[in-house]
């Protein structure tokens, strides 16, 4: 993975020292809260419902063992013993103390980390395929480009005061595991006509109150010209993006207003006038950065292992874990291990300091010192030899980290919701917990198959409800928590925004409603058909009928309709 | 409608309630209640002084119900906040 050079390290140290001084001046009363607020936000420090929250950047979701151990130390020493992994592949600590934050930032700087650009109207942490560099369906590793974008976008003077926050995602694989089409800019590595690789550039995707699927701005961009092209997109947005209305300030609104053709024309025109040579990265610099991501010297081995096979026969839980959580690696004889942070009944995305230490220890001992964070709020050990899988499983099991539910119904994305967040209308976590409990039975969950269930506690959609096959949105209805259900969203290549099914449900009825939806799917599906495919084939009416029934019939659904 | 004043401590971020006489308490039941507009204006002014003194931030008034003479939050948000931690 990438290591800071002297410039990076010195810069982060100087920012940390600067913030220490700003905090001291705030505590002494030298500066007011009004003056301090933008400064703390520029360092990832928010004020939430119960306390300060510190959001820490994990560039493209890649961590070393040392970094994860440092996060564990911070959780233990400066927080309440746990952290929350987010849908931007970052981590949040929910109980930060202002007077201790400078010390936390020093601890982060010790391991090449920081909280810069995790808030504010700037380019946020660039996210990427969590299986980058190891996936079997990968055209090319996107991490060098993610790192290049990180360096380019970090304190880029032109893009620190954009109309609104800006999110970029990149993938180099056939399957989109980075939800690129729900980003302000989505980048996909693609093959050109001559077989050379380049980028397809999409823009204007996003969730929030105006969900949009990104549109293609350019089908093929030569790789060497990425930065200048991104800069042209940013310039058009920076110039024309609305600063007069917070709700209309994202690039998706601009693109919808201009139309993609006009937006593209303006980008291309800007690009044609730019001094690209001074912006694009020289080949030597690309090679210097790419060298950090060269494939590990893994020796291909047999794709079967006797110890693993024997354990699978004798241990159903291990077998289920192998089936669901361990994916093939690009090198034969290795696996990609998904570490679920979604045990039914637990808080989605939360990890205790002990769990972080366990995963870090495994990465060091068996995993070539690498951990990934996924936007579905799980962890990944991307390089585990088949021969080590039993040992890895047993260690993870001791830390309660072997729930075999990767991409199953209980692998729920959930924002912190009203349990922590100042913006939320309703709680997300208890709803996620109850649904996960209902589908905790392994054979039931596997029979239901791949399904994305996402929950947001407000329309800002941090829990990605719009892109869930089943989406749940918390709303405030006359002071009580209600939940709207959407069906048919997809975060992948076939990206789609879910459709609202009908009136919202009170909290206590949500899990029942999900059970009804699942029962409807199981009754209607064809052999081997996943939830989304069934929904697309039969449409929402059967689900609607099952949930809301006939209003004349006076069922419980009738009451729900009347309350709506 | 009865009101109380809430805020967060600057240093720790802890949720606190104004108990009058310059005191901030963690337990909502110990908060000082304003029963009318005038009392609320007085409380707000007192509380604001502590914000000006950089003791607290994010100061605001909130509606409460009185149960056995003690203030209890009305909204879901404030009920969760008053438990001083998540509901889960």
């Amino acid at each position: 993975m990438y290591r800071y050079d002297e410039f990076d390290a010195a810069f982060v140290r100087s920012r940390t020292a600067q913030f220490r001084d700003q905090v001291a001046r705030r505590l002494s009363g030298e500066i007011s809260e009004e003056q301090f607020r933008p400064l703390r936000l520029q360092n990832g420090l928010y004020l939430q419902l119960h306390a300060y929250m510190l959001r820490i950047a994990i560039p493209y979701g890649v961590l070393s063992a040392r970094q994860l151990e440092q996060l564990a130390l911070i959780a233990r020493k400066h927080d309440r013993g746990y952290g929350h992994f987010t849908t931007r592949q970052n981590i949040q600590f929910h109980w930060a103390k202002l007077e201790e934050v400078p010390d936390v930032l020093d601890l982060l700087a010790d391991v090449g980390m920081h909280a810069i650009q995790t808030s504010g109207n700037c380019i946020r942490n660039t996210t990427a395929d969590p299986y980058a560099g190891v996936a079997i369906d990968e055209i090319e590793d996107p991490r060098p480009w993610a790192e290049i974008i990180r360096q380019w976008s970090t304190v880029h003077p032109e893009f620190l005061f954009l109309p609104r926050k800006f999110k970029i995602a990149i993938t180099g694989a056939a399957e989109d595991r980075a939800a690129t089409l729900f980003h302000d800019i989505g980048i996909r590595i693609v093959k050109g006509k001559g077989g050379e690789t380049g980028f397809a550039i999409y823009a204007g995707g996003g969730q929030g109150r105006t969900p949009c699927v990104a549109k293609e701005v350019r089908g093929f961009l030569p790789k060497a010209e990425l930065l200048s092209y991104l800069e042209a997109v940013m310039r058009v947005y920076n110039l024309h993006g609305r600063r007069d209305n917070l709700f209309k300030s994202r690039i998706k609104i601009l693109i919808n207003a201009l139309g993609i053709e006009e937006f593209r024309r303006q980008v291309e025109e800007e690009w044609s006038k730019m001094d690209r040579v001074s912006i694009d990265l020289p080949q030597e610099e690309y090679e210097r950065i790419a060298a950090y991501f060269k494939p590990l010297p893994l020796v291909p081995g047999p794709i079967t292992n006797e110890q693993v096979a024997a354990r699978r026969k004798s241990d159903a839980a291990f077998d289920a874990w192998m089936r669901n959580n361990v994916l093939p690696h690009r090198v034969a004889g290795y696996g990609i291990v998904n570490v679920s942070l979604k045990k039914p009944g637990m808080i989605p995305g939360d990890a205790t300091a002990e769990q972080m230490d366990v995963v870090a220890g495994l990465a060091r001992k068996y995993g070539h010192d690498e951990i990934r964070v996924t936007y579905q709020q799980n962890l990944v050990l991307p390089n585990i030899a088949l021969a080590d899988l039993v040992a890895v499983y047993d260690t993870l099991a001791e830390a309660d980290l072997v729930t075999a539910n990767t991409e199953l119904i209980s692998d729920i994305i959930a924002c912190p919701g009203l349990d922590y967040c100042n913006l939320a209308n309703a709680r997300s976590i208890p709803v996620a917990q109850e649904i996960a409990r209902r589908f905790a039975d392994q054979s039931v969950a596997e029979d239901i198959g791949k399904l994305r269930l996402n929950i947001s506690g407000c329309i800002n959609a941090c829990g990605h409800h719009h892109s869930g096959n089943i989406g749940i949105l918390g709303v405030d209805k006359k002071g009580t928590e209600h939940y709207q259900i959407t069906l048919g969203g997809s975060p992948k290549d076939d990206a789609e925004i879910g459709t609202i099914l009908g009136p919202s449900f009170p909290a206590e009825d949500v899990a029942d409603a999900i059970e009804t939806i699942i029962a409807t799917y199981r009754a209607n599906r064809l052999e081997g058909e996943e939830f989304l495919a069934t929904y697309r084939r039969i449409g929402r009416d059967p689900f609607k009928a099952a949930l809301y029934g006939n209003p004349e019939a006076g069922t419980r659904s009738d009451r729900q309709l009347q309350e709506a | 409608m009865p009101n109380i004043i809430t805020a967060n401590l600057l240093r720790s971020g802890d949720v606190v309630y104004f108990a009058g006489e310059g005191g901030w308490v963690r337990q909502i039941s110990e908060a000082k209640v304003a029963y009318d507009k005038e009392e609320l204006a007085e409380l707000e002014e007192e509380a604001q002084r502590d914000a000006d003194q950089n003791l607290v931030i994010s100061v605001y008034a909130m509606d409460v119900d009185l149960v056995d003479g003690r203030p209890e939050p009305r909204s879901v948000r404030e009920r969760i906040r008053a438990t001083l931690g998540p509901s889960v």
Side-chain angles (χ1 to χ4, degrees):
Chain A
M1 61 186 284
Y2 187 76
R3 305 277 171 200
Y4 276 6
D5 60 17
E6 283 169 36
F7 175 79
D8 289 326
F11 171 71
V12 170
R13 286 288 177 201
S14 71
R15 269 291 288 260
T16 302
Q18 184 187 48
F19 190 58
R20 181 178 288 282
D21 177 61
Q22 289 162 345
V23 170
R25 286 191 286 146
R26 175 68 191 114
L27 291 175
S28 72
E30 206 179 310
I31 52 177
S32 69
E33 186 60 20
E34 200 185 353
Q35 292 166 318
F36 180 64
R37 190 170 169 274
L39 301 176
R40 71 166 156 78
L41 287 173
Q42 280 166 21
N43 290 280
L45 190 64
Y46 292 71
L47 183 66
Q48 292 278 59
L49 195 62
H50 303 289
Y52 293 106
M53 176 271 280
L54 182 65
R55 183 180 295 151
I56 294 160
I58 301 175
Y60 36 96
V62 176
L63 284 169
S64 68
R66 173 86 181 90
Q67 289 176 325
L68 187 54
E69 283 165 354
Q70 196 80 334
L71 294 174
L73 173 77
I74 291 166
R76 224 176 253 123
K77 199 171 165 192
H78 295 284
D79 216 82
R80 292 199 180 173
Y82 64 94
H84 178 75
F85 289 98
T86 77
T87 50
R88 286 218 66 69
Q89 300 177 312
N90 287 329
I91 188 169
Q92 295 180 177
F93 288 110
H94 285 144
W95 304 98
K97 290 182 166 48
L98 177 59
E99 50 197 345
E100 295 179 19
V101 169
D103 293 341
V104 174
L105 296 184
D106 272 338
L107 288 171
L108 290 172
D110 289 346
V111 294
M113 296 180 77
H114 58 74
I116 300 164
Q117 286 180 223
T118 59
S119 172
N121 296 339
C122 53
I123 300 175
R124 304 286 188 91
N125 187 34
T126 293
T127 52
D129 183 354
Y131 304 159
V134 297
I136 51 172
D137 65 341
E138 191 167 86
I139 298 166
E140 206 170 285
D141 189 346
R143 288 174 301 165
W145 293 104
E147 172 58 27
I148 287 164
I149 294 167
R150 182 193 74 78
Q151 295 191 16
W152 162 78
S153 62
T154 300
V155 294
H156 191 307
E158 202 175 323
F159 306 131
L160 284 178
F161 293 95
L162 295 167
R164 195 74 183 91
K165 60 185 167 183
F166 203 93
K167 300 173 181 178
I168 301 175
I170 181 167
T171 179
E175 182 186 344
D176 187 349
R177 287 176 291 259
T180 57
L181 297 182
F182 281 104
H183 282 74
D184 294 294
I185 293 179
I187 304 170
R188 292 179 176 180
I189 298 178
V190 292
K191 281 216 162 115
K193 285 182 188 130
E196 76 284 17
T197 52
F199 301 108
I201 308 288
Y202 300 81
Q207 305 213 26
R209 69 184 58 231
T210 314
C212 294
V213 173
K215 297 177 180 77
E216 188 182 287
V217 185
R218 198 171 228 274
F220 189 86
L221 177 74
K223 283 198 292 186
E225 296 175 296
L226 179 68
L227 292 185
S228 61
Y229 200 80
L230 291 182
E231 203 143 321
V233 173
M234 298 304 300
R235 279 188 183 173
V236 172
Y237 168 57
N238 205 11
L239 186 62
H240 297 302
R242 287 183 61 173
R243 291 168 193 270
D244 62 317
N245 184 337
L246 185 69
F247 300 137
K248 296 187 174 177
S249 55
R250 298 288 290 266
I251 192 173
K252 58 192 173 189
I253 305 292
L254 176 68
I255 290 177
N256 287 345
L258 289 178
I260 188 66
E261 291 79 17
E262 174 59 16
F263 180 79
R264 181 184 300 123
R265 190 195 66 73
Q266 293 193 17
V267 169
E268 296 280 336
E269 189 186 331
E270 176 65 36
W271 194 46
S272 70
K273 289 189 297 196
M274 288 167 89
D275 175 12
R276 296 188 213 167
V277 177
S278 71
I279 298 169
D280 285 321
L281 211 57
Q283 182 64 19
E284 313 84 78
E285 181 59 6
Y286 167 77
E287 279 162 16
R288 183 189 74 80
I289 291 170
Y292 287 98
F293 302 97
K294 62 177 190 280
L296 293 168
L298 303 178
V299 181
I303 55 167
T304 53
N305 176 281
E306 269 180 40
Q307 196 198 3
V308 170
R311 180 73 177 265
R312 287 188 77 157
K313 269 190 191 150
S314 65
D315 182 345
F318 178 77
D319 189 43
W321 181 75
M322 284 295 299
R323 200 163 51 236
N324 291 290
N325 291 30
V326 182
L327 296 175
H329 191 283
R330 70 187 310 162
V331 177
Y334 284 81
I336 301 170
V337 171
N338 283 277
V339 179
S340 172
L341 301 180
K342 308 293 179 62
K343 188 184 178 189
M346 303 302 281
I347 296 175
D350 272 17
T352 64
E354 293 69 31
Q355 289 176 322
M356 292 184 217
D357 276 339
V358 164
V359 175
L362 288 172
R364 184 171 278 129
K365 192 168 176 189
Y366 301 108
H368 300 267
D369 197 26
E370 256 201 54
I371 303 109
R372 307 285 173 80
V373 182
T374 75
Y375 84 86
Q376 293 106 309
Q377 306 175 283
N378 292 308
L379 299 177
V380 173
L381 290 163
N383 300 294
I384 302 294
L386 291 190
D388 296 327
L389 281 173
V390 170
V392 167
Y393 175 85
D394 286 339
T395 306
L396 286 174
E398 283 170 31
D400 230 358
L401 288 170
V402 287
T403 308
N405 63 352
T406 301
E407 303 247 349
L408 299 181
I409 187 168
S410 56
D411 190 2
I412 297 170
I413 294 178
C415 70
L418 194 51
D419 280 300
Y420 290 97
C421 180
N422 245 342
L423 304 173
N425 289 319
R427 280 170 283 185
S428 306
I429 297 166
V431 175
Q433 289 173 323
E434 179 57 22
I435 294 168
R437 278 193 207 101
R438 298 278 182 106
F439 296 99
D441 184 289
Q442 189 67 29
S443 60
V444 171
E446 286 193 41
D447 178 74
I448 295 165
K450 283 195 175 182
L451 195 153
R452 296 289 191 96
L453 195 155
N454 299 346
I455 308 176
S456 305
C458 80
I459 194 62
N460 292 307
C462 296
H464 290 201
H465 68 278
H466 292 299
S467 67
N469 303 154
I470 299 175
I472 300 176
L473 165 65
V475 294
D476 175 349
K477 190 178 272 183
K478 293 176 193 155
T480 63
E481 295 163 287
H482 271 62
Y483 297 86
Q484 229 170 43
I485 298 176
T486 56
L487 293 184
S490 168
K492 298 191 178 182
D493 310 270
D494 56 355
E496 206 166 317
I497 294 152
T499 308
I500 296 171
L501 210 48
S504 60
F505 294 89
E508 60 274 19
D509 291 345
V510 175
D512 285 347
I514 300 304
E515 286 201 310
T516 302
I517 289 167
I518 295 303
T520 308
Y521 154 62
R522 289 169 98 178
N524 284 280
R525 69 180 167 188
L526 303 175
E527 176 85 28
E529 193 177 47
E530 288 181 10
F531 178 87
L532 186 60
T534 301
Y535 172 81
R536 285 177 172 167
R537 182 172 53 79
I538 68 175
R540 69 180 178 146
D541 288 348
F543 295 96
K544 214 172 163 175
L547 263 188
Y548 298 103
N550 178 354
E552 304 296 308
T555 58
R556 196 190 58 174
S557 309
D558 184 23
R559 172 170 61 83
Q560 286 157 354
L561 275 173
Q562 284 165 359
E563 282 173 5
Chain B
M1 189 176 288
N3 269 263
I4 61 170
I5 307 283
T6 185
N8 295 76
L9 291 180
L10 170 68
R11 280 174 185 274
S12 64
D14 286 348
V15 170
V16 284
Y17 300 94
F18 190 53
E21 308 295 319
W24 292 87
V25 293
R26 291 282 275 157
Q27 295 305 319
I28 192 170
S29 58
E30 295 165 24
K32 185 168 181 182
V33 179
Y35 293 91
D36 57 34
K37 272 187 187 169
E38 289 70 34
E39 286 183 14
L40 179 59
E42 269 174 45
L43 268 190
E44 280 178 324
E45 200 186 317
E46 274 184 71
Q48 188 54 44
R49 257 178 252 148
D50 286 337
D52 297 341
Q53 293 296 312
N54 306 302
L55 183 65
V56 290
I57 55 173
S58 186
V59 180
Y60 61 90
M62 56 182 266
D63 298 337
V64 289
D65 287 323
L66 291 180
V67 178
D68 300 330
R70 299 282 188 180
E72 284 192 2
R74 292 174 65 93
S75 70
V76 183
R77 178 185 193 277
E78 291 302 340
R79 279 204 294 276
I80 293 169
R81 199 162 166 272
T83 62
L84 308 179
S87 69
V88 288

